[in-house]
Amino acid sequence: MTKSSDGVFFLTGKDFTNAGSASSNLKGILDDMGIPADIVRRAAIAAFEAEMNAIIYAVAGMMRYSITPEAVTVTLQDMGPGIPDIDLAMKEGYSTAPDYIREMGFGSGMGLPNIKKNTDKLTINSVVGEGTTLEFVIYLQGLSPETSG
Amino acid sequence: MKLSDLIENLSLEVKTPETDLTREVTGGYVSDMLSDVIANAKAGYVWVTFQSHLNIVAVASLKGICGIIMVNNRVPARETILKAAAENIPIMTSSLAAFELVGKLYALGLRCR
Ligand SMILES: Nc1ncnc2c1ncn2[C@@H]1O[C@H](COP(=O)(O)OP(=O)(O)OP(=O)(O)O)[C@@H](O)[C@H]1O
Ligand SMILES: [Mg+2]
């Protein structure tokens, strides 16, 4: 059933017309591979939030994915301002989104918490002035029992 | 209740006639913040919002939202309608303010839980 697959999508900062297409393509790939619907849903939500952050805050970025029979791993690497305080950024409600971004419905400070909630493992590395790398893993065989939906 | 019953009951204007209006509505959520909808709406819900930007379609599709209702006579952007039609996400508009519309949805039996 589940084979392996990997690939990459490129993201352009402030390109709100194509925003969401990388995560939507990833969702299609996962569906086609016969991955269980609940895992596809969680991966698509986490990928969308991470993709939108790269598009909103960075100049450019890429989303790599690796799907194996054990796990879905997605890595978002961007060239952008970086995150000075990652613990603070992870807090629900914390946002530095400017007004014009808020007008489009972003900036509730819930994106990173949503990623955390929907994944089994989340790692963020960031260098101020250079960029951010965010990686999440979702296990396919219930390896992580404490995960909520 | 089917989406089509709700459309008739509340005189909603359908902006995407080609989408599936026969889906069962399981509840509702109101918010203008996309990540809030991602966190709290459930599959089969109608989503009441003032947002008209293209990105609402991606969120609705991620969550399995059965329809988006724009309030206060908000006019959806053309790209939003095209994308919604392509992704089979019904978009409707209402002349009511969110408060009034949500009150009516609640009176029709819709809940958020
Ligand atoms: N890739 C990134 N580069 C730089 N800063 C980021 C990046 N991702 C997140 N941040 C910072 O972390 C904050 C919190 O991010 P989070 O996604 O949780 O909320 P948000 O994007 O502000 O709002 P929401 O996701 O609810 O629309 C952002 O406001 C921003 O300051
Ligand atoms: Mg965000």
Side-chain angles (χ1 to χ4, degrees):
Chain A
M1 178 188 83
T2 309
K3 302 170 294 277
S4 290
S5 168
D6 50 62
V8 60
F9 303 108
F10 294 92
L11 312 172
T12 309
K14 312 293 179 292
D15 176 6
F16 291 99
T17 311
N18 294 305
S21 65
S23 37
S24 150
N25 281 328
L26 176 63
K27 180 173 190 279
I29 292 165
L30 294 167
D31 276 333
D32 289 348
M33 287 176 75
I35 308 272
D38 181 56
I39 294 198
V40 175
R41 187 185 57 80
R42 288 166 54 206
I45 287 173
F48 178 79
E49 293 286 13
E51 178 182 3
M52 291 318 306
N53 279 353
I55 288 170
I56 290 169
Y57 302 106
V59 177
M62 55 188 170
M63 182 194 289
R64 290 181 193 286
Y65 64 90
S66 156
I67 306 157
T68 67
E70 288 79 40
V72 179
T73 305
V74 179
T75 311
L76 277 106
Q77 192 179 355
D78 70 50
M79 295 188 296
I83 305 177
D85 184 342
I86 292 172
D87 288 340
L88 182 61
M90 286 301 302
K91 286 224 167 75
E92 192 160 321
Y94 177 82
S95 176
T96 62
D99 283 350
Y100 83 96
I101 294 290
R102 286 172 194 270
E103 273 157 29
M104 286 190 273
F106 300 102
S108 57
M110 294 176 77
L112 293 173
N114 278 348
I115 298 174
K116 179 97 189 155
K117 248 191 285 178
N118 283 284
T119 58
D120 295 316
K121 201 174 148 204
L122 170 63
T123 322
I124 302 175
N125 286 298
S126 192
V127 179
V128 172
E130 286 183 21
T132 301
T133 303
L134 178 153
E135 181 170 286
F136 65 79
V137 182
I138 300 176
Y139 296 111
L140 293 180
Q141 288 151 358
L143 295 180
S144 179
E146 74 266 271
T147 311
S148 70
Chain B
M1 188 184 349
K2 289 206 186 324
L3 186 59
S4 49
D5 301 329
L6 209 146
I7 291 166
E8 202 183 302
N9 234 298
L10 301 175
S11 316
L12 303 178
E13 189 177 325
V14 178
K15 295 291 183 180
T16 53
E18 58 277 84
T19 56
D20 181 8
L21 306 176
T22 65
R23 268 180 270 184
E24 197 66 31
V25 185
T26 60
Y29 198 69
V30 51
S31 181
D32 293 337
M33 299 309 267
L34 307 187
S35 295
D36 177 32
V37 174
I38 289 177
N40 296 311
K42 297 196 177 77
Y45 276 21
V46 280
W47 173 15
V48 178
T49 187
F50 191 69
Q51 286 295 343
S52 60
H53 191 273
L54 186 63
N55 293 312
I56 60 173
V57 179
V59 171
S61 152
L62 274 178
K63 293 298 291 187
I65 291 289
C66 82
I68 301 172
I69 308 176
M70 284 178 199
V71 289
N72 269 348
N73 270 330
R74 188 83 165 157
V75 181
R78 200 181 114 78
E79 315 86 72
T80 307
I81 294 178
L82 291 176
K83 186 162 186 212
E87 301 213 1
N88 196 20
I89 303 285
I91 292 192
M92 296 136 291
T93 58
S94 168
S95 56
L96 299 177
F99 185 87
E100 296 280 325
L101 183 78
V102 169
K104 293 194 179 211
L105 291 170
Y106 195 91
L108 283 172
L110 293 190
R111 295 293 181 268
C112 170
R113 57 176 171 239

